[in-house]
Amino acid sequence: KSSHHSPPPPPLCFTFPDAKTTSTILTQTASILATYTCLVTYFDRPRGKLIINSSNLLCKQSNVPNAGLGLFVTKSLPAGTVLGTYPGVVRPSNKYFTKYVNYPDSQGYTWRLNKVNEIIDPTDSKGVLQDVCYGGSDDYVGSYFIHQVLWRFWSVTTLLARINEPPLGVGGCSVETEVDEER
């Protein structure tokens, strides 16, 4: 029998790429990160706007039992006065479900849009309604960081999320809502 031995494998060594290759890798990585950040910023941006002057509104303890804070007007407003658009991040209902399970109190502030598969959520990452919504969601890695740290200046007030509806049969709700699916 003849024994045939293969030559030993070459030693493993790392060679640094040349400057042009390194520059290309860094440029492509920066481009990918910038694109991702822009897409997350767009999809998880805070929406909503207070149209009425905030001096016409007062946030204080609600008259509705166990409702927390409520929103009141400081002076009589004409019927049909537009207060603004509801604040929050528009999310697919199925992606919001995990947040709802982990933080059930968040459900008290979310609105289901006419499109059954979307909701608007003004709460923070822990399901708490803060004074402003910075945006962000669990849907994209780093989304809360992008919105609450990098784009912190881009926020919307959550005053309109404090509007409470009186319990059924009590009456007294003086707010009408309209849904504009295009916004």
Side-chain angles (χ1 to χ4, degrees), residues 96-108:
Y96 169 73
F97 185 74
T98 302
K99 184 175 183 179
Y100 170 70
V101 169
N102 293 329
Y103 307 105
D105 289 345
S106 67
Q107 192 247 350

Side-chain angles (χ1 to χ4, degrees), residues 7-117:
L12 296 176
C13 34
F14 178 78
T15 57
F16 288 97
D18 60 47
K20 183 177 179 182
T21 303
T22 302
S23 174
T24 301
I25 291 170
L26 291 174
T27 301
Q28 289 175 347
T29 302
S31 176
I32 290 167
L33 289 173
T35 301
Y36 180 79
T37 301
C38 289
L39 287 171
V40 170
T41 298
Y42 176 77
F43 286 114
D44 281 355
R45 71 194 183 279
R47 301 189 199 187
K49 182 178 181 181
L50 189 63
I51 295 172
I52 191 170
N53 188 317
S54 62
S55 67
N56 293 320
L57 303 173
L58 176 65
C59 183
K60 66 177 188 174
Q61 187 62 42
S62 175
N63 296 331
V64 176
N66 302 316
L69 296 175
L71 190 64
F72 300 84
V73 292
T74 57
K75 65 180 186 177
S76 191
L77 298 173
T81 299
V82 176
L83 302 178
T85 56
Y86 199 77
V89 177
V90 175
R91 302 183 64 198
S93 297
N94 62 337
K95 291 192 176 190
Y96 169 73
F97 185 74
T98 302
K99 184 175 183 179
Y100 170 70
V101 169
N102 293 329
Y103 307 105
D105 289 345
S106 67
Q107 192 247 350
Y109 298 107
T110 58
W111 279 39
R112 182 175 299 261
L113 301 176
N114 280 346
K115 294 178 183 177
V116 179
N117 62 344

